[in-house]
Amino acid sequence: MAVSRRAVLAGLAGAGLVGVSACAGGTAATDSAGGGVTLKHKFGTSVVAKRPLRVVSMGTTDHDVALALGVVPVALSNFVGTPTGVGPWATRQLGKAKPQLFVGGGEISVETVAKLAPDLILAVQSNLTKDRYDKLSQLAPVVAPPAGYIDWGVPWQQQARSIGAALWQRQAAEKLLVTAAEAQFAAARKAHPAFNGKTVVVASVFSGAAGTYNAYTRQDARMQFMAGLGLKPAPKVDALGVSKFTVPISREKVDLLESDLVVIVAFDDAAGKAVDADQLFNGLNVARRKAVIRLSLKDEGLALSCDTILSIPYGLTAILPKMAGVLRTV
């Protein structure tokens, strides 16, 4: 069975620089004549005329970028499913603040957002529609997804640049966040040359869908993380298309998962046990080589799923040793 992003959702200090310079790294942001920032996105343009004070973060992980820039949203999407609404990598940045949490993975109503009186709405990592964009834009400028990406598929670099520009901190987002994270990936590739060119499949498993592996495409955050380490998608999974962030692999077609490395994100203990008991999966060459690593959705698997400015260092620290132990023998 195919797993929707909504199902994933349900299962689950400041840098000090104000950026008004020429846009960096391909971000479609320009300075307005009145001193504000104009952002280009899939629905047109948004103008942020003044530095925002009340930010509502509707994108699944957009709050990580805001927090990294010292901005605590008044409300945020609880994609990670924690009591605070943020992953362990963002607890320091959140501090003692208690923003309102959007929970449950359902659509956030325009009325709910209106009550928060926002002066900026973040919806980069989202499935925002033109209709909802138009309605939300009546409340405040909306940072919509850039053009050219699937829903929830905006790369972390573009996410950081778009949000950084909207928060009037473009230079900080580029120099202190994007450049630093790219340097960490570069250091990891240098330290682990065996990763380069190896094929990888990242798949999630739900206990309610035992026997089905949901493999992530190259447009998903998890595979973008792997690409940053020099790995590439397994050809058979890649050939299934990239119009969605995940594709279902049934037990009968489990051989499509053959690759140099398989990363399993088990949504709960029952799902992990189902993988252990799956004779077809464990009969694959990759399994017999013990080139399968398991990540917990409550920890490193969650960081991999988020793939943000803040979660990347956490994910690298937790996941690299496991990958290195496998790929050095492949």
Side-chain angles (χ1 to χ4, degrees):
M1 62 179 282
V3 176
S4 68
R5 187 69 174 197
R6 182 163 296 178
V8 176
L9 287 168
L12 291 178
L17 294 176
V18 178
V20 290
S21 62
C23 64
T27 300
T30 58
D31 303 322
S32 298
V37 175
T38 298
L39 298 166
K40 291 184 179 180
H41 47 69
K42 65 190 297 183
F43 301 125
T45 59
S46 297
V47 177
V48 185
K50 59 182 180 179
R51 194 168 189 173
L53 298 176
R54 291 185 60 82
V55 177
V56 169
S57 180
M58 296 177 65
T60 53
T61 58
D62 291 349
H63 55 271
D64 270 9
V65 180
L67 289 170
L69 292 170
V71 176
V72 179
V74 296
L76 57 87
S77 176
N78 192 5
F79 173 68
V80 297
T82 64
T84 61
V86 302
W89 49 85
T91 53
R92 179 180 63 82
Q93 289 81 358
L94 182 65
K96 296 182 179 180
K98 295 182 179 180
Q100 179 173 324
L101 303 182
F102 302 130
V103 299
E107 188 173 88
I108 303 165
S109 72
V110 176
E111 292 75 17
T112 297
V113 178
K115 292 178 181 179
L116 294 165
D119 54 13
L120 183 69
I121 299 170
L122 306 179
V124 176
Q125 213 65 280
S126 73
N127 65 337
L128 188 67
T129 64
K130 180 63 164 62
D131 179 64
R132 280 177 59 75
Y133 167 78
D134 290 340
K135 292 176 180 177
L136 290 168
S137 293
Q138 296 177 28
L139 306 177
V142 179
V143 188
Y149 302 106
I150 64 171
D151 291 345
W152 299 289
V154 178
W156 62 267
Q157 297 97 325
Q158 292 297 344
Q159 179 191 35
R161 288 165 177 152
S162 293
I163 294 172
L167 294 175
W168 285 40
Q169 298 195 58
R170 192 183 308 154
Q171 291 180 23
E174 185 66 32
K175 296 179 180 179
L176 302 183
L177 301 183
V178 174
T179 300
E182 288 180 337
Q184 288 181 308
F185 274 119
R189 291 193 300 270
K190 183 177 181 180
H192 303 283
F195 292 1
N196 187 46
K198 293 294 192 302
T199 59
V200 61
V201 171
V202 179
S204 61
V205 181
F206 297 77
S207 58
T212 298
Y213 298 83
N214 294 283
Y216 295 99
T217 71
R218 63 171 63 225
Q219 293 212 52
D220 182 76
R222 302 155 187 83
M223 290 301 292
Q224 291 166 9
F225 181 96
M226 293 297 166
L229 293 173
L231 288 87
K232 60 185 182 181
K236 290 182 179 179
V237 171
D238 205 36
L240 297 176
V242 293
S243 60
K244 298 181 180 180
F245 74 97
T246 183
V247 291
I249 307 294
S250 65
R251 292 185 72 249
E252 294 74 19
K253 297 182 179 180
V254 73
D255 61 297
L256 295 175
L257 301 179
E258 284 286 16
S259 53
D260 293 321
L261 171 69
V262 171
V263 179
I264 296 292
V265 180
F267 271 51
D268 50 39
D269 292 340
K273 292 178 180 178
V275 175
D276 293 338
D278 188 342
Q279 295 183 4
L280 291 178
F281 175 79
N282 287 291
L284 297 176
N285 291 329
V286 64
R288 291 201 300 266
R289 294 197 317 269
K290 300 187 182 303
V292 177
I293 62 174
R294 183 90 55 81
L295 303 181
S296 168
L297 189 62
K298 297 179 181 180
D299 190 31
E300 65 268 47
L302 186 58
L304 178 65
S305 300
C306 291
D307 196 34
T308 68
I309 285 294
L310 288 182
S311 70
I312 285 170
Y314 186 96
L316 288 173
T317 299
I319 299 170
L320 278 180
K322 296 184 178 183
M323 292 179 58
V326 169
L327 289 176
R328 71 165 57 100
T329 62
V330 174

